[in-house]
Amino acid sequence: MSNNVISLRGQFTPPTSEPNSTLVEELERLLEAARAGEILGLAGAYVHRDKVVSYSYAGAVASYGMLGGLDCVKERLLRIATAQD
């Protein structure tokens, strides 16, 4: 399924396969919040260095609140994508 993902801006070329410090910091922040019991569920999509996009979810994700949060991030990503056209 993830092999059918097409970039909104045409051919997607990841900037580099070096670790992204901003991404690492955000993941560490989320992990600390999960360890502290502040985050109870997570759903995410991930771009891998080979351009494959995958997703996962864990914890308390079966709520309308989670669906609303995913809609908000989708809207934000659409704004970013269309601003770069």
Side-chain angles (χ1 to χ4, degrees):
M1 178 182 206
S2 62
N3 293 335
N4 297 330
V5 176
I6 299 170
S7 174
L8 295 174
R9 296 184 303 271
Q11 183 64 29
F12 173 73
T13 305
T16 178
S17 49
E18 296 296 316
N20 180 308
S21 61
T22 304
L23 172 62
V24 171
E25 288 173 14
E26 179 62 9
L27 291 170
E28 288 173 344
R29 184 188 71 79
L30 294 172
L31 182 57
E32 281 298 313
R35 285 186 172 140
E38 295 172 23
I39 294 177
L40 303 177
L42 172 91
Y46 322 100
V47 178
H48 301 268
R49 77 172 114 199
D50 59 0
K51 303 178 189 175
V52 170
V53 175
S54 64
Y55 71 93
S56 66
Y57 54 91
V61 295
S63 70
Y64 289 112
M66 178 63 80
L67 293 173
L70 290 171
D71 277 341
C72 289
V73 76
K74 179 181 174 183
E75 176 67 26
R76 180 70 175 140
L77 293 176
L78 284 169
R79 287 182 189 184
I80 293 169
T82 56
Q84 295 179 9
D85 282 345

